[in-house]
């Protein structure tokens, strides 16, 4: 298995980025990732106001995937997530949902002990390891790693866990994959503007699917298939995710759109990924048993 350290990071998903690693389609890579602060907050003496904001939201990469072509798809299977043992949480003035009532940055450092995050001497939180930033290079202008979009990026989606598979629309040959910004745990919405930010390792299998064409990222796990969309408002993002799902399933099963809308109204869940980044992200999750009944398949 190939390994990638965190010495080579990007701060934007960029079609002109210089690959730091090339893999064959179907290869698995173990990727070291920094936290969203670029590992600059190590202890109580590291003040968030004084960190270098040019080093925020690093993603490790980019990785060139042989066989990935513009107009096709990159399949990313998340085989494993390993976390370090120190996590940082933050909020601040004009950040997150409550930033209108704050006048300074705050940080809260916590330890990971086994499968728990120790918040204080009263509260231990079960781990829910997830990847905040993951994606490929978009067509056109580079997109900074703090902003999500149809290329992926800072989606802060709690469904991006070990065992999940992501599908990204590829805009440039090689795809130029990158990931970072892991969270030991985060609630849907990410209301403070951070999860339990933590460095670690992502192990992922990267497969080129040149025949599959998508508009936005898709997530598949043991129980659900989800469309992921980012837009200026949650309303627009939800709208796009639902439309993407109906279009995708109607095209592959031949079931009429109005029938699917009624069915998915019963079984599909619109879930907020994050509501605090420059674009907001929503996922629309439909259970696999429903799609299996129609012999739906993505690949
Ligand atoms: Ca994030
Ligand atoms: Zn984060």
């Amino acid at each position: 298995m190939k390994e990638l350290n965190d010495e080579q990071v990007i701060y934007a998903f960029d079609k002109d980025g210089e690959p730091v690693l090339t893999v064959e389609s179907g290869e698995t890579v173990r990727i070291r990732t920094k936290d969203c602060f670029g590992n600059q907050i190590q202890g109580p003496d590291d003040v968030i106001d004084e960190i270098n904001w040019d080093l925020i939201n690093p993603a490790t990469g980019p990785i060139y995937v042989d066989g990935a072509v513009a107009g096709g798809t990159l399949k990313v299977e998340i085989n494993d997530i390993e976390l370090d043992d120190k996590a940082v949480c933050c909020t601040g003035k004009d950040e997150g949902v409550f930033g209108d009532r704050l006048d300074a940055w705050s940080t809260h450092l916590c330890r990971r002990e086994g499968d728990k995050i120790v918040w204080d001497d009263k509260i231990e939180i079960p781990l829910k390891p997830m990847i905040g930033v993951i994606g490929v290079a978009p067509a056109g202008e580079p997109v900074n790693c703090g902003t999500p979009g149809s290329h992926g990026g800072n989606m802060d989606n709690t469904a991006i866990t070990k065992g999940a598979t992501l599908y990204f629309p590829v805009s440039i040959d090689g795809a130029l994959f990158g990931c970072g910004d892991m969270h030991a745990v985060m609630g849907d919405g990410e209301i403070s503007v951070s999860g339990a930010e933590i460095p670690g390792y992502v192990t992922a299998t990267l497969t080129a699917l040149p025949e599959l064409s998508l508009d936005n990222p898709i997530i598949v796990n043991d129980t659900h298939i989800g469309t992921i969309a980012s837009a200026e408002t949650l309303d627009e993002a939800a709208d796009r995710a639902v439309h993407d799902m109906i279009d995708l399933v109607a095209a592959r099963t031949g079931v009429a759109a109005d029938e699917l809308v009624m069915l998915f109204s019963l079984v599909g869940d619109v879930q907020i990924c994050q509501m605090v980044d420059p674009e907001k992200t929503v996922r629309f999750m439909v259970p696999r048993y429903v799609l299996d009944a129609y012999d739906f398949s993505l690949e």
Side-chain angles (χ1 to χ4, degrees):
M1 184 165 46
K2 283 185 174 149
E3 295 255 351
L4 190 57
N5 65 34
D6 63 7
E7 277 156 36
Q8 301 283 346
V9 294
I10 52 171
Y11 298 95
F13 288 92
D14 181 350
K15 65 178 177 3
D16 297 320
E18 196 57 46
V20 293
L21 179 70
T22 295
V23 298
E24 284 170 34
S25 177
E27 254 194 287
T28 300
V29 198
R30 184 167 176 259
I31 303 162
R32 175 77 184 159
T33 64
K34 293 183 176 176
D35 71 23
C36 73
F37 306 106
N39 298 357
Q40 293 181 89
I41 300 176
Q42 292 292 328
D45 296 336
D46 297 320
V47 180
I48 193 169
D49 302 78
E50 290 168 13
I51 63 177
N52 181 349
W53 289 91
D54 293 338
L55 305 180
I56 290 294
N57 283 320
T60 307
I63 299 175
Y64 187 102
V65 183
D66 264 337
V69 294
T73 291
L74 181 69
K75 175 183 180 179
V76 181
E77 295 163 274
I78 314 293
N79 307 118
D80 201 10
I81 292 178
E82 301 159 77
L83 300 177
D84 284 13
D85 53 14
K86 270 192 295 193
V88 186
C89 312
C90 77
T91 192
K93 181 176 162 51
D94 299 328
E95 299 289 336
V97 172
F98 198 74
D100 58 320
R101 297 261 294 275
L102 305 173
D103 31 65
W105 280 105
S106 305
T107 50
H108 185 117
L109 278 65
C110 10
R111 283 187 328 280
R112 178 183 68 82
E113 284 184 5
D115 56 3
K116 302 257 170 53
I117 282 286
V118 180
W119 178 258
D120 59 16
D121 54 10
K122 293 195 183 65
I123 297 174
E124 291 187 347
I125 306 168
L127 289 188
K128 285 196 277 176
M130 55 163 281
I131 305 168
V133 172
I134 183 164
V136 298
E141 289 298 301
V143 176
N144 73 68
C145 291
T147 301
S150 56
H151 68 292
N154 195 12
M155 298 180 287
D156 288 318
N157 181 339
T158 57
I160 302 179
T161 59
K162 176 180 174 176
T165 298
L166 287 154
Y167 296 83
F168 294 102
V170 172
S171 296
I172 171 163
D173 291 354
L176 300 184
F177 172 81
C179 65
D181 180 35
M182 290 210 288
H183 302 158
V185 57
M186 187 195 99
D188 281 341
E190 199 185 23
I191 60 160
S192 83
V193 85
S194 94
E197 306 291 334
I198 194 163
Y201 293 90
V202 173
T203 303
T205 303
L206 307 175
T207 305
L209 301 175
E211 305 297 329
L212 177 62
S213 170
L214 299 174
D215 293 330
N216 284 299
I218 288 179
I219 186 161
V220 177
N221 61 29
D222 286 347
T223 58
H224 288 78
I225 297 180
T227 41
I228 306 169
S230 300
E232 205 179 326
T233 66
L234 285 174
D235 281 1
E236 284 173 85
D239 206 73
R240 194 167 305 164
V242 170
H243 279 82
D244 274 1
M245 181 65 80
I246 304 285
D247 288 345
L248 191 73
V249 178
R252 283 174 163 70
T253 62
V255 180
D258 58 329
E259 197 67 21
L260 290 176
V261 175
M262 291 187 285
L263 174 63
F264 291 173
S265 188
L266 307 188
V267 298
D269 291 318
V270 172
Q271 297 172 336
I272 294 171
C273 298
Q274 57 72 27
M275 55 200 293
V276 296
D277 293 331
E279 302 262 302
K280 321 303 175 203
T281 307
V282 166
R283 59 182 180 269
F284 182 56
M285 303 293 279
V286 173
R288 287 182 63 162
Y289 77 87
V290 169
L291 298 173
D292 288 349
Y294 287 135
D295 293 327
F296 171 87
S297 92
L298 194 57
E299 291 180 38

